[in-house]
Amino acid sequence: TTAADIESAMTPVGGVIVSCRIIAERPKVIAELVFETKEGADNVVDTFNNQNVLSIDHCHGVSANNYVR
């Protein structure tokens, strides 16, 4: 999974992403995303928090735990 994969999955839900960086790849992918608006970030949290998200490249389940910082 790349930052671009994550951005393409999250942008339709959260809107403009200011930055996206991968923090860890194993044992789970952890990424930090900064959205243009708080509302966008809240939409992503509401949609994906505690969900299994399908990885676009690798077709495996990734657990999503989201929070607004």
Side-chain angles (χ1 to χ4, degrees):
T1 301
T2 66
D5 294 333
I6 295 168
E7 285 187 54
S8 69
M10 300 294 173
T11 297
V13 177
V16 176
I17 296 174
V18 176
S19 69
C20 177
R21 68 183 183 108
I22 303 288
I23 297 170
E25 293 183 7
R26 296 189 199 312
K28 293 182 179 183
V29 174
I30 300 173
E32 178 184 76
L33 288 87
V34 177
F35 290 88
E36 189 172 66
T37 66
K38 183 178 183 314
E39 291 78 17
D42 288 341
N43 285 340
V44 167
V45 170
D46 292 343
T47 303
F48 293 106
N49 195 39
N50 294 319
Q51 301 295 314
N52 283 328
V53 179
L54 184 65
S55 171
I56 295 166
D57 279 348
H58 302 96
C59 295
H60 65 275
V62 177
S63 177
N65 294 299
N66 305 288
Y67 60 94
V68 176
R69 195 165 72 158

